[in-house]
Amino acid sequence: NDDHRYNKKEKQHKLHQELEKLKRKKRYKYKGGNRSRGGGGAQLAEERLMEVVKLWQQDSSQILLTDRAFNIVIMGYAHEAKYDISAPMKAESLLQKMCDELDGINPSRFTYNAVIQAWSASSLKYKTLRPYHAIVRLMGEMQTLGGFEPDTFTYNLVMASNLPKAKKWLTTMKKKQIPPDRQTYHWLFKSYSQDGTKAEEAEALVDELFLITQKKRK
């Protein structure tokens, strides 16, 4: 009836309002940017999202639901992962829900990278390599389940989560012909700065970066 349809539209409108609030704060960008300390926003947005998911499952013809809504909430958790150790697990839970329960709402490369970003952001909070191992696992699932190859952004995140392995991941990138960017070299230099025995490798890296810069200028 009309009242039932109105309630559906009202709940969907509330979800879009919450997601727009998150976007306007500019704290959940895909590739970084200025971020202020905060918490709880992603949880509230997820609650609104789940209300709309229930309505969508009842009648998908009346509700517009895409992966974009999930991506925004997951990026909210990626931001909060710096301060909330449970945020990466909440982000991954949304990814699993998309894969297992929502036929037609498929995660994109962006979705996988957003969850990986949440784990990478939490690596400073953990005293173990749990975030790193979670990222490596997700990189595998990204390929086998999602059908997406990790990109430069993905490799930068896995490097950030375990600096001693940065050189190993650079080698993988080169084998797969995935171009490194400035952030890639940032993590490599940081890795070498923590290991006083790799001065020569650091110098070689400077030369490599210089050549890449010269080629781009031409």
Side-chain angles (χ1 to χ4, degrees):
N1 56 40
D2 291 341
D3 289 340
H4 184 59
R5 288 187 178 183
Y6 175 77
N7 288 334
K8 284 185 175 183
K9 294 294 183 183
E10 185 180 27
K11 287 186 177 182
Q12 187 176 25
H13 179 66
K14 286 182 179 179
L15 167 65
H16 286 302
Q17 283 183 322
E18 295 296 335
L19 297 180
E20 287 300 320
K21 285 179 184 178
L22 290 178
K23 287 161 62 181
R24 282 198 297 271
K25 288 178 182 178
K26 295 182 180 179
R27 297 187 303 178
Y28 308 116
K29 289 185 178 179
Y30 179 47
K31 290 193 175 181
N34 294 327
R35 300 183 174 98
S36 59
R37 178 183 287 269
Q43 182 65 48
L44 179 60
E46 181 180 351
E47 290 170 6
R48 295 286 186 271
L49 175 59
M50 289 304 105
E51 290 177 6
V52 173
V53 166
K54 288 180 182 178
L55 295 174
W56 179 82
Q57 289 174 324
Q58 292 170 13
D59 186 359
S60 60
S61 66
Q62 297 295 321
I63 297 292
L64 176 64
L65 184 64
T66 68
D67 65 302
R68 186 166 174 263
F70 284 85
N71 292 342
I72 293 172
V73 178
I74 290 171
M75 283 304 299
Y77 283 127
H79 166 76
E80 293 175 7
K82 290 183 177 180
Y83 321 110
D84 180 3
I85 204 168
S86 68
M89 289 171 277
K90 293 176 181 177
E92 189 166 344
S93 177
L94 283 174
L95 171 64
Q96 288 302 123
K97 191 173 189 68
M98 293 175 74
C99 293
D100 300 337
E101 301 176 28
L102 304 177
D103 187 28
I105 310 295
N106 300 315
S108 62
R109 178 187 279 109
F110 186 105
T111 313
Y112 280 98
N113 274 342
V115 177
I116 288 171
Q117 185 172 350
W119 277 111
S120 184
S122 74
S123 59
L124 294 176
K125 299 285 289 183
Y126 279 90
K127 294 182 179 179
T128 68
L129 289 175
R130 181 180 180 183
Y132 172 73
H133 293 308
I135 290 171
V136 173
R137 171 176 53 77
L138 283 164
M139 288 173 71
E141 293 176 6
M142 183 180 188
Q143 297 173 78
T144 58
L145 301 179
F148 306 108
E149 284 295 323
D151 57 14
T152 303
F153 187 67
T154 318
Y155 282 102
N156 288 346
L157 292 171
V158 73
M159 286 183 184
S161 69
N162 189 359
L163 290 175
K165 296 286 187 181
K167 183 62 183 296
K168 168 199 167 184
W169 289 109
L170 177 65
T171 302
T172 301
M173 290 176 72
K174 288 180 176 179
K175 285 180 180 178
K176 295 190 174 185
Q177 297 184 326
I178 297 172
D181 61 11
R182 290 185 178 182
Q183 195 65 25
T184 311
Y185 286 100
H186 165 79
W187 294 120
L188 286 163
F189 282 125
K190 196 164 185 178
S191 170
Y192 291 153
S193 70
Q194 293 183 359
D195 188 341
T197 65
K198 293 187 176 180
E200 290 185 5
E201 289 187 49
E203 288 179 10
L205 200 62
V206 171
D207 293 338
E208 181 179 331
L209 185 56
F210 175 76
L211 290 173
I212 291 173
T213 303
Q214 292 297 106
K215 286 181 181 179
K216 286 183 177 180
R217 286 178 180 176
K218 293 178 180 179

